[in-house]
């Protein structure tokens, strides 16, 4: 009797297992993307979303909580500023623009014949409304300056600024979505709406939404014609939880377009001929140091000789190979990119950082500063050991690996490094309040590749505060009056000669003081699957900044440029 | 992941007076399970003590990344930063075991305090302790540990702190069991007799009650160690483990972050988990033997016992078919 | 009667304690959510100026006032069912976000726990009934699975079963490309297919505990007098086994099961991290990383209340089934 029961149990288990596998057949796992229903071409996109999507298509949200395609794919700005390539901005809803002499008035020509996705015409009134809506609302206006836009005729909009505002150009022309006045004037609080039925001018519009995935479809009223029109019928967005899942998705053809750092990327590309990728570096990974004792910083890193010694003690080739999987590119001590911004680097010595470690030079710099080598191999001065701590976000694996490797590399130069792996909010808090010695972070580009944004955000005294207060972006507490004056010059002029002189002042200062010790330029990898669509950006042809991350207007350009395979 | 909290389990009558000869009755009988468990456990503990003195530097980086076992003298290969996995595991075992034993001791002490003491004193103290225990029991453990782990600044998050956090969230279940057992012992005749004859409270506790509790507490101690090691591994996997020291959990975390399995570096990911599993297995085997003390009926009629009866295979088959227990 | 009143009194106190702890702990955590958002904006290439911080603070409403005032507001909101607005998914309400994720967690981890319990207790019953059979040897094996770190086992199974042989998918709750949530056979089939591997890992890693507990209790119960009486009366062995022995032996396991059901939500965190499962555990992790007070509180509350509810059910049931506990 028991044996019969045991057999029943085993039988039941087998039935359950086979039912699970059989039911999987019902779910139809084949033919996911192309040719699903009557030849509809679909491209699947992974934007880095972990967990469920929250239905929010608000292009004006100050916290950036609108879903990825909102800015760029559903809504468009006046011009597109391509961070991956030096060049003029691409006309979208605006066709041309002109500044007056002192940068207080910007005249923009508006494209005619544009329609919203609900069929109504888009006019200069909408442009004026959108720009003023942002300017007048303190929760939406993250630039800190107000402007007034007015329409002078059906095809021209003039924007007036209270002070010289050349550097606001990418923000106003390239970073502000144009929204329909007819809909938004009846929304009581534009920061809180979730805008679940978005109406925009972009190449795609929302078709359907579930928390696990949503679908966009071609906008039949899009202003672009021919090559400028969207050709792929549908775009589907999915979420994945980690790099492992992303790797599998790419390899199995489940995702066509994504922007993840995959350490096995080179093997994947070698094994799958239908995949391609491009690398659009824009951020310089650097050791952020709390460098200014005048503003309350304490620790050995406040000594410029120590920072210089670290600069020379790094073996960046090892860091590139083992932390960045070979995808990083050499940085410049001028803290801007030596590719896109090559012309703005004022001294040929500032083009690249040394790629291999120069331990002798590091040691001589320290010894000239009064440090002596202690018995345990680390330098000592005034009885204190050269002991530095660095904060890094736990889970950012390439950064974690950099810190582990730096520990060993610095040890050879007599510098002791202890690594604190912290959660992101604690890491941010430490930087903002100044209560840290070093922090591994990156110098990010602003809304365009203009070096003004990097320098003003990371070096200006206006963006910093004492240790204990809240610094906005200049967390190194660097404060140099000559640099501040040069930054002010950059903000108030369009004259190339004056700009170059200002760059020289700034760069000479930071190469000497090195408040941020550059490591390498971090990769920004985007991967593509060419089986369902072609025309993706390539390494040599980066017609848009292709990372499908939040806030990137370039995704709209990419999506409308690609063509489905077989059509 | 799940724990079985047994309420009202029958407590066997072990010899009440704590004379020397009954100590022998408290010790487990040497079955093969116990021998295997003890030897594996002892080997791992020994390795944890001696290993770090013998192996190389676990922190030494090199350019030989993801080297398979056997290259250049690396017994278990290298990690992404070129560090030797074999050395890291030796140090990691030591770290994990320290946490395990620390949590075991702390949790047992806490549960004894809130379970045994409260139950013995009785009255309002008992009610209060029981209420406190039940409240701690219903507060979700892992989320609480995550939050506390985030709260403490990274630089101070050493082995000991992780142990404290794990102990705080794990003593409540055992306390409940101990309370139930103590309550049933408290009402036994010999305890009443001691009280009536004027013995002091602490003497009754130590001499009369505690010896009956030792098998239960020993089993809980072993469970606490397993729970602590697994809990620490889980915490580290979520990125909240101890900083600055190696534990098997932090090695697993690093390996997982570097996508070791996907990149084919199984030698970095599998051995630490295997080490945890082996140690846990050894402890479980020891726990089985302790179970046999608590519940003497588990000792008889095991397969090994039956072999001693000297039956022929045909007789054994007939025995099984007749469904005799 | 007094028994039930005592129980209810305890639960009221426990609920209050849980709510208060839920309120206090997120506020003890370091860091300010506004700072996290600003650093994320910087990393995404958006302009950040001193006014940006002010803009965001205005948008998020600050949260000023003393802790006592906030506590009062919190309790009042709770009574209205308002759990606040989430920061991670601004401006969604916390209750909506949790409501979307909760069914997945309950379905996966709840079902897996139930399956594990039934199989474990069943096997334990047979192991206890037939001492010395091959089932006895199964116990150390299953117990070894319990000693293995859960995520380690899960990741290896994922490697084997979804990459080496591609039987099961590696991530997600259902096939988003071909089906949408609803009561269609296709959706349910897809959900089962995607949930099989996570459920398998949960069952494998927890079955040992149930089996061991049940076996030990069976052995203890089988030596009781009434079992001997039942056999002497000539009842069928299967009836003795089920109605007399197992029914009594399963009591401690039942209480443990109800408690572990309460912890289903808490225990899902690691599972969902490994399998990218769209449940509550992932929410909690995101909330903690982003200092999203409201979401953290909401998830804690859900977990605490479910644990308390499970405990209440157990206590009442136990009082009903086992009269000995009532008379103390």
């Amino acid at each position: 009797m028991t044996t019969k029961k045991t057999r029943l149990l085993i039988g039941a288990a087998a039935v359950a297992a086979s039912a699970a596998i059989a039911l999987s057949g019902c779910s139809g796992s084949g033919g996911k993307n192309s040719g699903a229903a009557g030849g509809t071409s679909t491209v699947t996109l992974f934007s880095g979303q972990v967990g469920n999507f929250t239905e929010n298509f608000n292009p004006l949200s100050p916290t950036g909580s609108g879903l990825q395609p909102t800015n760029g794919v559903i809504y468009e700005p006046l011009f597109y500023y391509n961070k991956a390539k030096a060049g003029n901005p691409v006309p979208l809803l605006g066709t041309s623009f002109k500044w007056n002499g002192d940068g207080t008035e910007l005249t923009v020509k508006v494209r005619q014949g544009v329609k919203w996705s609900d069929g109504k015409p888009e006019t200069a009134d909408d442009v004026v409304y959108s720009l003023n809506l942002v300017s007048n609302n303190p929760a939406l206006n993250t630039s800190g300056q107000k402007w007034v836009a007015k329409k002078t005729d059906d095809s021209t909009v003039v924007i007036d600024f209270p002070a010289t505002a050349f550097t606001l150009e990418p923000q106003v022309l390239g970073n502000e979505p144009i929204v329909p006045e007819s809909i938004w004037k009846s929304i009581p609080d534009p920061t809180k709406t979730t805008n679940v039925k978005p109406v925009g001018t972009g190449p795609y519009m929302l078709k359907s939404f579930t928390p696990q995935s949503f679908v966009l479809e071609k906008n039949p009223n899009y202003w672009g014609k021919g090559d400028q029109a969207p050709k792929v019928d549908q775009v589907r967005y999915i979420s994945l939880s980690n790099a492992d899942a992303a790797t599998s998705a790419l390899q199995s053809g489940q995702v066509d377009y994504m922007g993840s750092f995959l350490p096995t990327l080179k093997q994947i590309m070698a094994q799958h001929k239908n995949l391609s990728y491009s690398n659009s570096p824009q951020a310089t990974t650097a050791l952020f140091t709390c460098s200014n004792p005048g503003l309350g910083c304490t620790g050995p890193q406040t000594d410029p000789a120590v920072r210089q010694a670290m600069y020379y003690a790094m073996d960046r080739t090892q860091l590139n190979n083992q932390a960045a999987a070979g995808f990083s590119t050499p940085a410049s001590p001028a803290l801007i990119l030596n590719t896109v911004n090559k012309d703005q680097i004022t001294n040929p010595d500032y083009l690249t950082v040394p790629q291999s470690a120069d331990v002798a030079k590091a040691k001589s710099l320290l010894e000239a500063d009064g440090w002596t080598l202690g018995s345990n191999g680390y330098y000592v001065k005034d009885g204190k050991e050269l002991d530095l701590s660095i904060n890094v976000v736990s889970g950012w694996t390439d950064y974690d690996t950099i810190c582990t490797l730096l520990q060993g590399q610095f040890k050879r130069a007599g510098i002791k490094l202890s690594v604190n792996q912290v959660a992101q909010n604690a890491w941010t808090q430490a930087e903002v309040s100044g209560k840290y010695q070093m922090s591994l972070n990156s110098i990010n580009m602003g809304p365009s590749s203009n070096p003004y944004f990097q320098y003003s955000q990371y070096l200006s005294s206006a963006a910093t505060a004492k240790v204990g207060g809240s610094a906005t972006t200049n967390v190194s507490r660097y404060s140099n009056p000559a640099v501040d004056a040069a930054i002010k010059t950059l903000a108030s002029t369009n004259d190339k000669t004056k700009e170059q002189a200002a760059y020289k002042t700034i760069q000479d200062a930071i190469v000497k003081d090195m408040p941020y010790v550059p490591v390498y330029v971090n990769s920004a990898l985007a991967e593509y699957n060419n089986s369902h669509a072609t025309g993706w950006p390539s390494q040599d042809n980066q017609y848009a900044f292709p990372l499908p991350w939040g806030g990137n207007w370039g995704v709209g350009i990419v999506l409308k440029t690609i063509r489905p395979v077989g059509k | 992941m799940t724990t079985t909290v047994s309420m009202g389990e029958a407590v066997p009558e072990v010899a009440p007076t704590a004379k020397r000869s009954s100590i022998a009755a408290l010790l487990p009988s040497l079955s093969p399970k116990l021998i295997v468990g003890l030897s594996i456990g002892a080997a791992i503990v020994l390795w944890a003590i001696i290993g770090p003195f013998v192996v190389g530097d676990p922190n030494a980086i090199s350019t030989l990344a993801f080297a398979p076992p056997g290259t250049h003298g690396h017994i278990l290969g290298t990690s992404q930063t070129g560090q030797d996995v074999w050395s890291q595991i030796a140090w990691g075992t030591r770290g994990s075991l320290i946490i395990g034993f620390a949590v075991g001791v702390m949790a047992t002490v806490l549960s004894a305090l809130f379970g045994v003491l409260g139950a013995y004193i009785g009255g309002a103290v008992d009610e209060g302790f029981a209420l406190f225990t039940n409240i701690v029991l219903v507060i979700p453990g892992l989320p609480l540990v995550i939050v506390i782990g985030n709260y403490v600044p990274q630089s101070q998050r050493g082995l000991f702190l992780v142990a404290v956090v794990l102990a705080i969230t794990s003593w409540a279940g055992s306390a409940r069991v101990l309370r139930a057992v103590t309550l049933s012992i408290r009402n036994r005749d010999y305890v009443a007799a001691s009280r009536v004859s004027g013995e002091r409270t602490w003497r009754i506790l130590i001499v009369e009650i505690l010896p009956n509790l030792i098998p239960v507490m020993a089993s809980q101690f072993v469970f606490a160690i397993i729970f602590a090691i697994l809990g620490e591994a889980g915490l580290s996997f979520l990125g909240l483990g101890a900083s600055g020291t190696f534990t098997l959990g932090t090695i697993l975390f690093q390996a997982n972050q570097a996508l070791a399995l996907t990149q084919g570096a199984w030698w970095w990911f599998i051995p630490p988990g295997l080490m945890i599993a082996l140690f846990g297995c050894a402890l479980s085997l020891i726990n089985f033997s302790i179970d046999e003390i608590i519940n003497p009926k588990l000792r008889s009629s095991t397969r090994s016992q039956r072999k001693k009866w000297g039956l022929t295979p045909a007789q054994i088959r007939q025995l099984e078919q007749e469904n005799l227990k | 009667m007094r028994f039930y009143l005592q129980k209810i009194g305890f639960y009221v106190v426990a609920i209050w304690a849980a709510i208060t702890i839920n309120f206090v702990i997120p506020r003890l955590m370091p860091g300010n959510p506004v700072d996290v958002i600003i650093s994320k904006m910087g990393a995404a290439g958006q302009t950040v100026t001193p006014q940006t911080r002010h803009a965001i603070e205005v948008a998020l409403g600050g949260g000023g006032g003393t802790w006592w005032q906030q506590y009062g507001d919190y309790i009042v909101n709770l009574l209205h069912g308002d759990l606040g607005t989430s920061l991670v998914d601004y401006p969604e309400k916390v209750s909506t976000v949790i409501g979307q994720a909760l069914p997945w967690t309950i379905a996966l981890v709840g079902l897996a726990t139930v399956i594990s319990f039934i199989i474990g207790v069943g096997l334990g019953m047979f192991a206890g009934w037939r001492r010395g059979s091959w089932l006895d040897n199964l116990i150390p094996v299953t117990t070894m699975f319990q000693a293995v770190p859960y995520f380690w086992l899960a990741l290896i199974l994922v490697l084997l079963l979804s990459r080496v042989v591609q039987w099961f998918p590696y991530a997600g709750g259902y096939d988003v490309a071909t089906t949408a949530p609803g009561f269609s056979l296709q959706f349910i089939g897809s959900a089962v297919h995607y949930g099989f591997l996570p459920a398998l890992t949960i069952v494998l890693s927890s079955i040992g505990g149930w089996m061991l507990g049940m076996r030990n209790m069976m052995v203890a119960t089988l030596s009781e007098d009434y079992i001997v009486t039942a056999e002497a009366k000539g009842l069928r062995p299967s009836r003795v086994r089920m109605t007399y022995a197992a029914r009594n032996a399963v009591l401690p396991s039942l209480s443990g099961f109800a408690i572990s059901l309460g912890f289903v939500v808490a225990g899902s965190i690691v599972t969902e991290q490994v399998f990218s499962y769209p449940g509550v555990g992932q929410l909690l992790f995101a909330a903690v990383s982003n200092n999203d007070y409201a979401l953290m509180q909401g998830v804690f509350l859900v977990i605490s209340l479910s644990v308390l509810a499970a405990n209440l059910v157990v206590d009442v049931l136990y009082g009903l089934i086992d009269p000995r506990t009532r008379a103390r």
Side-chain angles (χ1 to χ4, degrees), chain A residues 27-34 36-37 42-44 207-208 210 212-215 234 236-239 253-256, chain C residues 173-181 186-187 190 194:
Chain A
S27 62
S29 49
K32 272 187 252 300
N33 290 324
S34 55
T42 312
V43 152
T44 308
K207 180 172 177 209
S208 63
T210 71
Q212 283 81 32
S213 138
F214 60 92
V215 181
Q234 286 185 354
R236 171 185 299 282
Y237 279 71
I238 63 172
S239 78
Q254 260 200 308
V255 167
D256 299 303
Chain C
Y174 62 96
D175 192 346
V176 295
T178 54
T179 176
Q186 206 185 29
F187 173 65
S190 179
Y194 273 71

Side-chain angles (χ1 to χ4, degrees), chain B residues 29-236:
Chain B
S29 54
L30 276 180
S31 62
K33 274 193 261 190
L34 182 62
I35 296 180
V36 169
L38 276 177
S39 39
I40 296 182
I44 294 182
V45 170
L46 212 60
W47 179 239
I49 299 178
I50 305 181
F53 294 117
V54 171
V55 300
D57 182 5
N59 282 313
I61 59 167
S62 74
T63 46
L64 196 63
F66 282 136
T71 19
H72 274 247
H74 294 285
I75 302 179
L76 276 180
T78 60
S79 71
Q80 186 181 32
T81 47
Q83 295 170 322
D84 181 28
V85 174
W86 178 246
S87 328
Q88 289 196 339
I89 289 188
W91 284 89
T93 312
R94 175 188 276 195
S96 286
L97 254 52
I98 291 179
I99 290 188
F101 282 105
V103 172
V105 167
M106 284 192 275
T108 308
V109 165
L110 277 174
S111 61
L113 182 69
F114 285 101
V116 176
L117 197 61
Y120 184 72
I121 296 180
V125 174
D126 180 33
E127 297 283 333
F129 275 11
L131 184 66
F132 180 61
T133 307
N134 282 330
I135 290 187
V136 173
L137 198 55
V138 299
I139 290 173
L142 186 58
L144 188 64
V145 169
I146 292 178
V147 172
I148 297 181
N150 248 304
Y151 174 50
V152 176
Q154 177 66 29
S155 45
Q156 295 161 16
R157 206 186 302 154
L159 284 179
F160 188 64
L161 193 81
V162 174
V164 166
V165 168
L166 284 171
I168 291 179
T169 49
S170 66
W171 61 266
S174 342
R176 215 153 102 149
V177 171
L178 280 181
R179 178 169 173 267
V181 174
T182 309
L183 279 177
S184 85
I185 294 181
R186 188 169 72 131
N187 298 327
R188 300 276 163 94
D189 294 339
Y190 55 88
V191 175
S194 308
R195 231 181 314 163
V196 157
S197 64
E199 289 240 25
R200 277 184 285 240
T201 313
W202 62 267
R203 194 143 194 280
I204 300 183
L205 268 176
I206 295 180
V207 169
E208 310 285 357
I209 298 196
L210 222 47
N212 287 317
L213 293 176
I214 285 185
V216 180
M217 284 176 72
S219 156
Q220 288 177 345
F221 177 69
V222 172
F223 262 130
I225 297 180
I226 304 179
F227 164 81
I229 296 183
L230 286 178
E232 187 272 326
L235 264 189
S236 303

Side-chain angles (χ1 to χ4, degrees), chain C residues 123-147:
Chain C
L123 284 177
M125 176 177 78
F126 282 114
W129 180 255
R130 292 169 53 78
R131 289 304 314 285
S133 64
W134 59 272
L135 275 174
D136 252 357
N137 293 339
L138 199 58
I139 292 199
V141 174
T142 51
T143 320
M144 182 173 155
F145 272 122
Q146 265 212 304

Side-chain angles (χ1 to χ4, degrees), chain A residues 54 56 65 171 212 248 254, chain C residues 47 89-90 92 163 170 174:
Chain A
T54 315
N56 183 341
S65 53
Q171 177 66 25
Q212 283 81 32
S248 298
Q254 260 200 308
Chain C
T47 331
D89 294 319
Y90 188 80
E92 283 279 5
R163 275 191 255 273
Y170 48 83
Y174 62 96

